[in-house]
Amino acid sequence: MTTRTLYLLCSAAPPVFEVAGVVEEAQRRGWDVCLGLTPTAAEWLEDSLPGLAALTGHPVRTRYKRPGQPDVWPPADAVLVAPATTNTVNRWALGITDTWVVGFVAEGIGKQIPMAVMPCVNEAYARHPQLPLSLEALRASGVRVLYGPEGFEPNPSGEKRPYPWSVALDAVDGFGR
């Protein structure tokens, strides 16, 4: 079996603290995992970054590389953006590429890299009128959106439910097979 490369790109939402177990599960499924984090997610996981780099065998990416620097990751066969905050989803859909994670996936649409996104938002954020527009823009761009009954369903504010990581991994497992 040929190993495929999964870029797991995470925003700062509580399920990001489970990322080591998600990496291990993706590896059991045959993925070579490269982990990218938004700046706030990287801050939240600051003490874990060396261990996460050792677990994946790749540096954890949090920012753009300088022009001319070599890429430190193999090319992606698939991308999973999860957990994806309202901020990440909206910036991606609108093409606001001020962070490496959002810049990579915005460009990934044009490169036609197979991508899935699973938001992690509470009901209050879900009611904002931009979120459904952004999710539809991503769907129309070919991104597999795992939201609602087929993925993540918003929590009431202040309530936490288990994040359906297996749904997200199942979605990327299906790419290209």
Side-chain angles (χ1 to χ4, degrees):
M1 179 169 118
T2 304
T3 301
R4 298 184 306 154
T5 301
L6 174 65
Y7 285 16
L8 175 57
L9 307 179
C10 305
S11 302
V16 78
F17 290 108
E18 303 163 358
V19 75
V22 176
V23 168
E24 291 170 337
E25 177 58 25
Q27 290 170 332
R28 279 191 290 278
R29 293 174 180 224
W31 291 101
D32 175 22
V33 181
C34 297
L35 179 62
L37 303 171
T38 63
T40 303
E43 183 182 316
W44 286 9
L45 297 176
E46 182 177 14
D47 294 338
S48 303
L49 295 179
L52 290 167
L55 177 62
T56 64
H58 303 284
V60 176
R61 297 263 328 251
T62 60
R63 63 180 71 185
Y64 286 103
K65 65 182 181 67
R66 292 189 181 128
Q69 284 184 320
D71 204 333
V72 295
W73 287 358
D77 293 300
V79 176
L80 173 59
V81 183
T85 60
T86 304
N87 187 39
T88 294
V89 169
N90 288 338
R91 287 180 18 250
W92 182 7
L94 295 170
I96 300 169
T97 60
D98 59 335
T99 67
W100 178 79
V101 164
V102 175
F104 180 85
V105 293
E107 188 176 25
I109 289 172
K111 291 182 174 182
Q112 299 181 337
I113 300 169
M115 294 188 286
V117 60
M118 190 160 63
C120 182
V121 299
N122 66 35
E123 288 177 345
Y125 280 122
R127 286 189 204 102
H128 191 282
Q130 184 58 49
L131 184 64
L133 298 173
S134 294
L135 293 172
E136 184 49 41
L138 294 175
R139 271 189 200 98
S141 298
V143 176
R144 176 121 187 246
V145 176
L146 307 168
Y147 183 74
E150 71 277 6
F152 178 82
E153 297 195 67
N155 300 324
S157 295
E159 182 183 311
K160 292 184 176 60
R161 294 184 202 143
Y163 191 69
W165 282 111
S166 61
V167 170
L169 291 173
D170 290 347
V172 294
D173 281 346
F175 288 147
R177 294 200 177 182

